[in-house]
mmCIF file of all heavy atoms in Angstrom:
data_model
loop_
_atom_site.group_PDB
_atom_site.id
_atom_site.type_symbol
_atom_site.label_atom_id
_atom_site.label_comp_id
_atom_site.label_asym_id
_atom_site.label_seq_id
_atom_site.Cartn_x
_atom_site.Cartn_y
_atom_site.Cartn_z
ATOM 1 N N HIS A 182 -6.677 -0.499 9.622
ATOM 2 C CA HIS A 182 -7.900 -0.779 8.918
ATOM 3 C C HIS A 182 -9.134 -0.675 9.810
ATOM 4 O O HIS A 182 -9.096 -1.172 10.939
ATOM 5 C CB HIS A 182 -7.860 -2.187 8.316
ATOM 6 C CG HIS A 182 -6.905 -2.338 7.124
ATOM 7 N ND1 HIS A 182 -5.742 -1.638 7.017
ATOM 8 C CD2 HIS A 182 -7.025 -3.083 5.994
ATOM 9 C CE1 HIS A 182 -5.149 -1.981 5.867
ATOM 10 N NE2 HIS A 182 -5.899 -2.866 5.226
ATOM 11 N N ASP A 188 -8.663 -8.840 7.034
ATOM 12 C CA ASP A 188 -7.636 -7.829 6.819
ATOM 13 C C ASP A 188 -8.077 -6.542 7.583
ATOM 14 O O ASP A 188 -8.915 -5.823 7.096
ATOM 15 C CB ASP A 188 -7.489 -7.516 5.356
ATOM 16 C CG ASP A 188 -6.411 -6.497 5.063
ATOM 17 O OD1 ASP A 188 -5.570 -6.274 5.964
ATOM 18 O OD2 ASP A 188 -6.407 -5.924 4.007
ATOM 19 N N TYR A 317 -12.076 -9.160 -0.091
ATOM 20 C CA TYR A 317 -10.941 -8.362 0.304
ATOM 21 C C TYR A 317 -11.270 -6.837 0.171
ATOM 22 O O TYR A 317 -11.801 -6.415 -0.850
ATOM 23 C CB TYR A 317 -9.723 -8.760 -0.525
ATOM 24 C CG TYR A 317 -8.563 -7.787 -0.457
ATOM 25 C CD1 TYR A 317 -7.797 -7.694 0.755
ATOM 26 C CD2 TYR A 317 -8.157 -7.049 -1.522
ATOM 27 C CE1 TYR A 317 -6.766 -6.811 0.804
ATOM 28 C CE2 TYR A 317 -7.100 -6.176 -1.456
ATOM 29 C CZ TYR A 317 -6.385 -6.065 -0.281
ATOM 30 O OH TYR A 317 -5.331 -5.215 -0.214
ATOM 31 N N HIS A 318 -10.938 -6.108 1.208
ATOM 32 C CA HIS A 318 -11.183 -4.647 1.270
ATOM 33 C C HIS A 318 -12.631 -4.250 0.976
ATOM 34 O O HIS A 318 -12.876 -3.273 0.241
ATOM 35 C CB HIS A 318 -10.230 -3.929 0.292
ATOM 36 C CG HIS A 318 -8.840 -3.666 0.915
ATOM 37 N ND1 HIS A 318 -7.878 -2.914 0.326
ATOM 38 C CD2 HIS A 318 -8.376 -4.078 2.128
ATOM 39 C CE1 HIS A 318 -6.807 -2.889 1.098
ATOM 40 N NE2 HIS A 318 -7.073 -3.603 2.195
HETATM 41 ZN ZN1 ZN B 1 -5.531 -4.018 3.557
#
Side-chain angles (χ1 to χ4, degrees):
H182 286 35
D188 181 18
Y317 168 67
H318 278 186

